[in-house]
Structures are given as C-alpha cells and as structure tokens.
C-alpha cells in the first residue's frame, strides 16, 4: 500500500495571517489569524485525508516541524 504522501504546508502570509497550502496549489486551502489555528486545521485535514504530512514553516519561511498523520480507520495503525 504505502504510496506517496500528500503534504499540507502551514506558511506565513505577508499580511501576518497563516495559510494551509498544498504543493503546486495556486490558492491556499484555508486562511487563519494565528499559526496555532492553521496548525490545528492542517492536522485535522491531514487526519481526514490520511497518509498526509503537515509541514510547519516559521515566520522566516524555514521548516520547523514536519509530522505525518494517518486516518483513524487506517488498518495499518497499531494500538498501543
């Protein structure tokens, strides 16, 4: 199964807001007033879509923290 991971980038906008954006997308998936709101939204979207990596950028644009999420109903997920 595996396959290629989807990605959602949490990136700053020039106006101080934060956007969730997929690679090669012309527009953001969603816009948020704070980075924390954008991260929460991106994580929720990643969990719904499954096999999706959330890549968080800092205000300087550098990657801070990547995380991969699988859907809750993913049979590959182990309990622990």
């Amino acid at each position: 199964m595996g396959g290629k991971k989807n990605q959602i980038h949490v990136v700053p906008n020039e106006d101080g807001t934060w956007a969730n954006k997929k690679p090669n997308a012309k527009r953001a998936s969603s816009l948020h007033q704070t980075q924390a709101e954008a991260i929460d939204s991106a994580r929720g979207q990643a969990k719904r879509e499954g096999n999706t990596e959330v890549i968080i950028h800092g205000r300087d644009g550098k990657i801070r923290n990547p995380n991969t999420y699988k859907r809750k109903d993913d049979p590959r997920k182990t309990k622990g």
Side-chain angles (χ1 to χ4, degrees):
M1 261 190 160
K4 184 178 175 186
K5 284 184 196 171
N6 295 317
Q7 294 181 334
I8 302 170
H9 290 260
V10 176
V11 296
N13 287 318
E14 291 180 10
D15 66 359
T17 61
W18 291 83
N20 292 344
K21 192 172 180 185
K22 291 189 174 187
N24 302 317
K26 292 183 180 181
R27 298 184 335 171
S29 302
S30 58
L31 297 173
H32 305 275
Q33 293 300 311
T34 67
Q35 185 186 43
E37 290 172 357
I39 292 169
D40 286 345
S41 174
R43 285 180 178 156
Q45 183 179 350
K47 288 176 182 177
R48 285 190 305 276
E49 292 179 5
N51 199 31
T52 300
E53 184 175 27
V54 174
I55 301 171
I56 302 166
H57 296 256
R59 289 198 184 279
D60 60 2
K62 292 183 181 177
I63 294 174
R64 284 185 27 197
N65 189 14
N67 290 304
T68 301
Y69 297 90
K70 294 181 178 166
R71 284 190 296 205
K72 289 186 179 188
D73 61 350
D74 191 329
R76 295 172 290 173
K77 185 176 179 182
T78 59
K79 293 183 180 180

